[in-house]
Structures are given as C-alpha cells and as structure tokens.
Amino acid sequence: MRIPGNLHLTSSLHLTIRFSQEVEDYVAYISPTAAEHSVRHLTIERLRHVVSYLWPTAEVNVFGSFSTKLYLPTSDVDIVILGKNLRAPASLFELSVALRDHGISRNLEVISKAKVPIIKYTDALTQFPVDISLNMGGGLQAAEIVTQFLSEPNGVGDAIRGLMYLLKQFLLMRHLNEPFNGGCGSYALLILVSTFVKLHPLIQVGATNPLENLGLLFIEFLEFYGRSFNYQDLGIKCDLRSGPGFFYKSEYNFTRKPGVLTVLDPQDETNDVGGGSWNYYQIKSEFFRCYNRLLCIFGAAEYRTIQLRQSSKNHTRFPNSYDTDQPNSILSAILTVGKGMYAYRNAVEELWDRVSNGLVSTGVEEGAWESVCAQLKKDEQERKFKAGGVKRKRVLEEERRQVAREAEESENAEESEKEAIEVVNQQQKNHEKAKLDARKESKEEWKSWEREYFDTLKEAKEELGYNSQDDGEINMEISSGPESNVSEDEERKDDFKSPFRKRARRQ
C-alpha cells in the first residue's frame, strides 16, 4: 500500500496508511534473505557431516522456525537427530566430543538435566547458534502444523507470517521470547496469531484483504490480547478439525491456573503450550502499553488536523510546531532494529560471498554441498518468481486504485464546478431581484410623496380662496417671502431639489 506523493500525512487516516506501509517494509526487511538461508543450510550440512561420521544410520532433521522460514536473523537453528540406538544424555555427550574434534563448534554446552536434554553450541564458521535434541518427533509434527497455518488461502497465511515476524521481534526486544524465562514461545505465539487472524470478523466475511491491512491487524492484535481478552476464565485453541476458538478453562480442567495464558496444542488437547509463560502478565502489559502509544500518535494527528482546518477557516498562521511536515517513523515508537543486527546481517552476506566464491572451506563433502547449493538456487528462483507475481499483482492493484482515485477526484471537481456555477447564477438572480425590489420601492415612495404633494396643494388653494368651480381664472402667486437677489436661472435649478416650488411655478 503506497502513499501518493501529494498526500499530506496529517490526519489519523493518512497516518494509518503510512503505518501499514512501514509494517510492510519492516516485514520485508526482517524476513530471511537468500544468503542467510544458504548459510544456515551450510550450518546444518556441517553438522550432518559429523553425525554421518559418528552414526551412519542416524537422520538429521530440522524443525522449528528454520523449516517454516519464520526465524529472525539472530534466531537459533533447531535440529533433531533420529536414531534407534540413540539415548540421551549419553549420546549427546558422545556427539559433543565429535563436534569438538571436527572443530565446527564453539561455546558448546550439554544441558543434560533439562526436561528435554539438548546440546547448545555456536557454529565456528557461520556463527549461528544451534540446539540439538534426540528422538523428539513432536517438533517435526509441530512444523507440519505451522506450515499448514501459513498456507491458508486469501492472504490469511501471509498475514499470519507477517504478524509472526513483527511479534517475535517485539518480544525479543523485551526479552520475553523464551519460555524458560517466563516468556511466550514461538509455537504458542503462532496459535495466538492464527486464532486472532482466522476469527477476525472482516476477514471471515471477505470484507478486507489481511495482507494489505497488516498494520491495522497488528494494532488490533495488541489491543485484543493486551486489553480485551479474558485470561481469567478463557483459553485459546486452534484445532485442526474444529478450527480456531476460545474455551472456558473449567471445561478442560485448567482452573488451577486462573489469569495465566492457556494455549492448547493442536496435536494434543491435554498439552498446554502456554503453561510455561508464567510472566505473561508482563507481555500483556507491553501489548497494552504499545497499543496506547500508537493510539496517542494517531489521536495527536487527528487533533492537529482539526487545528489546521480551524486555522485555515480563520485565515491565521498555524504555529510552527503544528506544521504539516511528514512525521518520523511511527513503527519505531514500539519496534526498532538495532545496529548489532545490521552488522550481523552484513557479516552473513560477506561470509556467503566468500563461501560461494570458494574462498572458505565449508567442511562438507564437495558433492553433497553442490547438490544443496543447486536446490537452494532452485528454491530461490521459485521464491523470486512467486514474489514477482505478488509484486505485479500489487502494482496492478495500486494502479487500479489510482485510476479510481483520479476518477473520483475528477467527479468531485465536476460537482464542485456545477455547485460554483449554481451559486453564481443564484447570486445574479438575487441581485436582479434586489434591483427590481428597489425600483418598486422607489416608485411606491414617489407615488406616496405625490399624493402628499397634491393634498398639500389642495389645502393651500383652499386657504387662498381658490374655487375650482369658478369660470374665470384666478391667478395664484406663491410668495417665496421678501424679494431677494436670487436670479431666475438659479431658482429654476432649485426646482429640481424641491418639486413643490416647480409645481407652484407652473400654476
């Protein structure tokens, strides 16, 4: 959704359009690049090379955000190794020794006493963090569910993906993204987002395109889960058969955790994937705080628009603090990108350039790595083709909107011109009517004055003894008083000022 160049971003409506554009740009930036995805594949292939040397029959699978491409630039790589003879934690210690011997790991740690024992390390070449577990098939099934959610038609899946990028970065900035710290994990967050998007009234009836209104959906998400949702009595589910919805905790025997986030696992309704988010009250508070902050920005813009309209009506200069300069980024009020991420992503791009040019040893068999690169190239071509189709569709949609907008403006201009012509014609009619009324009034005044004049003249004749019934003529002279030095011409000029004197002279 692009903003026309001549659009003044002062009202809250225009700021909403700008906010949606910022959200789209942010999602496009935070999404994985081809280099990042390739380097992560290199990390996996380096581990697979060690595992095949240690356990030839074992199978290395990727799950979590990497398999669905929902990972952030700094996210770790979740890997599960499947094998019949593998037992934790003994097999994990054996693998840790092999990783050190091959020199592909740094900061390696075996967490053997956790509920799910894992190995955590950082790849020595790519610098990506890696988490390894053994024989945990639930993660692979969860990845299939995530893929199914992201494949929803009519833009729903793309909207879910965009909101996930925003909210994962939102929680990461506030250190609320790790369940072991009381935060909300990616799987629980996905169920929250999917339930919200699928149950949105306008999306259900097809009245809005969720992908084009990603900014508004983000604001409504913050409001819904930050203020409106009843965590005391309700839980959240997104069942694959019955669909998304909410339920009373008492129905599922979750009354022992009132006021805490309760999210059912689509794979197992007895599993509460939100149970580890014991600090969800802080997450809810952050949602509500950021919603209020955005609301204040839009409210201030609306107030500024009202002030501008009032000042334009009064023909007064508006204060400089309220000039219509375009505001700074709205999204940066609650969500930013640190300098460390810029440096990190640039380092990944440089590493991939050196790897692709053969300047760095990958530590992987040449034939295996070439096949991986070929598949990556094919996937990237398909992605670009799909992205190009989406881009062309958006361009055509924007052109259609622009044509509709110009037609509406032209129609409004014609209507305004018609209204102006009607106003001018009405003013002319009113002017002509006023002239006629003035003439009529003047004529009536003259007739009234004439009647008064003849009545006065009649009274004067009667006082002088003039009888209109006599046969002879009676010369009547109206004396103007004592004889004066006024000439006859000057006296006639005064006749125009005094009709009484002119009529008397004729008599």
Side-chain angles (χ1 to χ4, degrees), residues 110-131:
V110 180
I111 304 176
S112 59
K113 296 183 179 180
K115 183 179 179 180
V116 179
I118 61 173
I119 290 180
K120 296 179 70 72
Y121 75 93
T122 302
D123 190 280
L125 174 63
T126 64
Q127 303 300 317
F128 281 122
V130 181
D131 292 350

Side-chain angles (χ1 to χ4, degrees), residues 484-494 501 505:
S484 62
N485 296 325
V486 179
S487 64
E488 185 177 359
D489 293 336
E490 292 178 352
E491 188 175 358
R492 289 185 179 278
K493 290 181 180 179
D494 291 339
R501 187 178 297 178
R505 291 175 61 86

Side-chain angles (χ1 to χ4, degrees), residues 260-296:
V260 180
L261 175 66
T262 301
V263 182
L264 295 187
D265 187 352
Q267 305 174 80
D268 182 9
E269 291 186 350
T270 62
N271 181 27
D272 179 14
V273 296
S277 304
W278 49 266
N279 196 24
Y280 193 79
Y281 180 79
Q282 181 66 26
I283 299 176
K284 175 186 174 184
S285 300
E286 283 297 310
F287 284 165
F288 185 52
R289 183 184 67 83
C290 293
Y291 164 74
N292 282 335
R293 191 165 188 178
L294 292 176
L295 204 64
C296 290

Side-chain angles (χ1 to χ4, degrees), residues 169-431:
Q169 181 67 17
F170 180 92
L171 296 177
L172 176 64
M173 288 177 54
R174 293 157 177 81
H175 304 285
L176 296 171
N177 61 318
E178 295 291 350
F180 61 83
N181 289 330
C184 183
S186 298
Y187 192 45
L189 182 63
L190 176 73
I191 297 174
L192 292 179
V193 173
S194 301
T195 303
F196 169 77
V197 174
K198 291 182 179 181
L199 293 181
H200 196 285
L202 296 180
I203 296 177
Q204 284 186 325
V205 299
T208 183
N209 188 331
L211 190 57
E212 294 180 356
N213 296 277
L214 200 58
L216 291 178
L217 287 177
F218 181 53
I219 296 174
E220 291 176 352
F221 180 93
L222 297 177
E223 188 276 334
F224 181 73
Y225 286 114
R227 184 179 69 172
S228 301
F229 189 72
N230 179 14
Y231 293 95
Q232 184 71 24
D233 303 318
L234 297 178
I236 304 164
K237 65 177 181 178
C238 196
D239 191 83
L240 299 177
R241 296 183 299 273
S242 59
F246 309 104
F247 63 93
Y248 286 100
K249 294 182 180 180
S250 57
E251 297 178 358
Y252 287 79
N253 195 25
F254 286 119
T255 54
R256 64 185 183 276
K257 296 186 291 185
V260 180
L261 175 66
T262 301
V263 182
L264 295 187
D265 187 352
Q267 305 174 80
D268 182 9
E269 291 186 350
T270 62
N271 181 27
D272 179 14
V273 296
S277 304
W278 49 266
N279 196 24
Y280 193 79
Y281 180 79
Q282 181 66 26
I283 299 176
K284 175 186 174 184
S285 300
E286 283 297 310
F287 284 165
F288 185 52
R289 183 184 67 83
C290 293
Y291 164 74
N292 282 335
R293 191 165 188 178
L294 292 176
L295 204 64
C296 290
I297 293 175
F298 294 128
E302 192 64 31
Y303 174 77
R304 180 171 57 184
T305 302
I306 295 173
Q307 295 294 319
L308 285 171
R309 289 174 180 171
Q310 291 178 353
S311 64
S312 62
K313 288 181 180 179
N314 298 331
H315 302 286
T316 58
R317 172 63 180 166
F318 206 68
N320 292 332
S321 59
Y322 292 96
D323 283 343
T324 57
D325 293 335
Q326 292 191 3
N328 295 326
S329 171
I330 305 169
L331 186 61
S332 62
I334 62 171
L335 200 58
T336 58
V337 176
K339 294 182 179 179
M341 183 178 292
Y342 285 110
Y344 186 78
R345 303 190 82 176
N346 290 335
V348 172
E349 294 286 342
E350 293 176 1
L351 174 61
W352 177 242
D353 288 339
R354 288 187 288 139
V355 170
S356 58
N357 292 327
L359 302 178
V360 177
S361 175
T362 61
V364 183
E365 294 181 2
E366 186 176 354
W369 179 238
E370 288 179 355
S371 62
V372 170
C373 290
Q375 184 63 36
L376 289 174
K377 186 176 180 181
K378 182 179 179 181
D379 294 342
E380 181 64 15
Q381 290 177 350
E382 292 179 356
R383 187 193 65 81
K384 288 183 178 180
F385 179 78
K386 182 179 179 181
V390 174
K391 185 176 180 180
R392 286 192 297 271
K393 184 178 179 182
R394 290 186 181 179
V395 170
L396 292 175
E397 186 68 17
E398 182 60 32
E399 290 178 354
R400 186 189 63 79
R401 288 199 190 117
Q402 184 66 22
V403 171
R405 187 162 47 244
E406 292 176 355
E408 184 178 358
E409 291 176 356
S410 176
E411 184 178 354
N412 293 336
E414 293 178 357
E415 293 179 357
S416 300
E417 185 178 358
K418 290 180 181 179
E419 291 178 358
I421 294 174
E422 291 178 359
V423 169
V424 172
N425 292 337
Q426 187 64 32
Q427 290 178 351
Q428 291 179 351
K429 291 180 181 179
N430 294 338
H431 181 67

Side-chain angles (χ1 to χ4, degrees), residues 99-151:
L99 291 173
R100 288 192 182 98
D101 292 341
H102 283 76
I104 71 169
S105 65
R106 295 175 54 187
N107 304 324
L108 190 147
E109 179 184 6
V110 180
I111 304 176
S112 59
K113 296 183 179 180
K115 183 179 179 180
V116 179
I118 61 173
I119 290 180
K120 296 179 70 72
Y121 75 93
T122 302
D123 190 280
L125 174 63
T126 64
Q127 303 300 317
F128 281 122
V130 181
D131 292 350
I132 304 174
S133 59
L134 299 178
N135 294 328
M136 298 298 297
L140 298 178
Q141 296 176 2
E144 294 177 358
I145 294 175
V146 174
T147 304
Q148 184 174 345
F149 287 160
L150 298 178
S151 302

